[in-house]
Amino acid sequence: MVADGPYAGRHTWIDALRLFAGVSMVGLHVTADAQGQPFPEADPAARLAPMVLRALLYTARTELFLMISIMLLLMALSRRPRSYGTVMAEQARRLLIPFVFWTAAYAFYNLLKARSLGYEAEVFAALQQPVTWAGYLLLGDVKYHMHFIPTLFALLLFFPLFGVAERKPALGLMVVPALLLKQRVDPVLYAALWDTETLGYAVRALKVLSYIGYGMAAGAVLGVWRQTTAAQRQIWIWPIALIVIVLLALKLISTAKVIATGLWVYDNPFVFWADYLMPVALLVLCLTLAHKAWPAGLSRLSKYAFGLYLCHPVFLDLAEVALAGRDVTPSQSIVLELAWTLPATGCFVWALSRLRLTAWTVGLGSLPDFPLFRSPQKAGTRS
């Protein structure tokens, strides 16, 4: 994702998490209706299987992707140290150029879905507004998953702090006060800025600030891995597994309310902590199991995880258009969308990765050698 060379590819437990995070995002988006709601028109019994599946998949939130990306960057820096400016220039090329490409692609691809579902005029009118493009480029709200890239890039601005946590793993506990900041300030921002254009930017700024805690946790996990032996880490398997089970139980309790009401739960503090601490607990649990024999094939597949994350809305939109107006249950909708979206996206990403001119769009291969895409090192060698 953001690391380079073969070093990161040898650690199959990290690759497994990266792949799980990518697949789970597909599952997460198919376990809600076309409006992103928990099938409110269905009976509670019909919501049972979809919402339980969603609770299980939501253990690998976007935050897990963020932590893995930070770990891979720190690992790459240990192999090949670079200056702050060089690192950020490299990350800008690797993240922001594909981001701009997919932002433009989705901005106009949205018109196809809108035309099929009868709201093309609204989408076309929005595309003519500068505020729309500002949101697309700064917030990543062209699609429900694109916010990941600008958030990740903003977090990487603080990567020296994450390196400190790698050397002093106790600093990883900063994830708790950082999330507490988010829990307390988010409601204040929504109350003060509701129905204003400023809200999205204020919430995103708070998100980046509070997610520094995830970066510290990622650095700490990497530090513990390097400073301990497999025998030492193995002692923590069952205590960490118990924490994961407790967090999952809290998520399932909240899920029961969603099943009963058809509404998401936003105001339960226990659910907040279960949701936002689960990615950290899952990462630490896999750390304790890093010495186990993980299937080598996971490393080969994991390189497509970033592309899976980026491209699955292409095919999910097609599935939603095909199913619009049809009499299908939530479970049938999920099975059909997942059975189509996951393999179709996988094949699409694989095809893009095989072509030199398109591999960069899914985080694989080199960027085309145009002046705009040229790295600082290459640019400096040409007169």
Side-chain angles (χ1 to χ4, degrees), residues 12-30:
T12 312
W13 69 279
I14 297 178
D15 289 333
L17 278 174
R18 179 166 51 162
L19 182 61
F20 176 49
V23 172
S24 73
M25 284 300 105
V26 180
L28 178 69
H29 291 144
V30 303

Side-chain angles (χ1 to χ4, degrees), residues 90-114:
E90 290 174 350
Q91 297 310 311
R93 283 167 45 78
R94 291 177 178 175
L95 291 172
L96 299 186
I97 293 176
F99 171 71
V100 171
F101 170 82
W102 285 108
T103 295
Y106 279 126
F108 294 100
Y109 184 75
N110 287 342
L111 286 170
L112 299 179
K113 180 180 179 181

Side-chain angles (χ1 to χ4, degrees), residues 223-360:
V224 168
W225 186 32
R226 287 177 164 163
Q227 297 169 26
T228 60
T229 65
Q232 291 172 319
R233 295 191 297 269
Q234 196 166 357
I235 297 172
W236 292 96
I237 292 177
W238 290 111
I240 299 300
L242 179 60
I243 292 174
V244 170
I245 291 171
V246 170
L247 294 176
L248 182 58
L250 291 172
K251 287 168 64 69
L252 290 174
I253 291 171
S254 168
T255 298
K257 186 174 181 180
V258 176
I259 293 169
T261 64
L263 300 172
W264 300 126
V265 175
Y266 294 112
D267 57 353
N268 188 321
F270 296 105
V271 175
F272 174 90
W273 289 104
D275 276 342
Y276 284 97
L277 287 180
M278 181 63 88
V280 180
L282 189 61
L283 181 60
V284 176
L285 179 61
C286 288
L287 167 69
T288 65
L289 299 170
H291 62 285
K292 300 291 185 179
W294 296 73
L298 295 175
S299 290
R300 292 191 294 271
L301 292 174
S302 69
K303 66 181 181 178
Y304 303 112
F306 189 48
L308 195 67
Y309 196 103
L310 283 172
C311 299
H312 74 270
V314 172
F315 301 96
L316 182 55
D317 280 357
L318 293 175
E320 289 179 351
V321 169
L323 293 175
R326 296 182 181 273
D327 186 18
V328 294
T329 67
S331 293
Q332 290 170 339
S333 171
I334 289 171
V335 170
L336 292 171
E337 289 181 358
L338 195 59
W340 157 253
T341 302
L342 191 57
T345 306
C347 292
F348 182 62
V349 172
W350 178 83
L352 290 176
S353 72
R354 302 294 292 177
L355 300 175
R356 181 176 177 273
L357 290 179
T358 57
W360 60 273

Side-chain angles (χ1 to χ4, degrees), residues 186-233:
D186 252 352
V188 176
L189 293 178
Y190 276 96
L193 301 174
W194 184 255
D195 206 24
T196 69
E197 296 292 345
T198 308
L199 177 61
Y201 297 94
V203 170
R204 181 59 54 82
L206 175 63
K207 185 174 186 176
V208 171
L209 183 62
S210 60
Y211 277 23
I212 291 174
Y214 283 116
M216 302 298 282
V221 167
L222 185 58
V224 168
W225 186 32
R226 287 177 164 163
Q227 297 169 26
T228 60
T229 65
Q232 291 172 319
R233 295 191 297 269

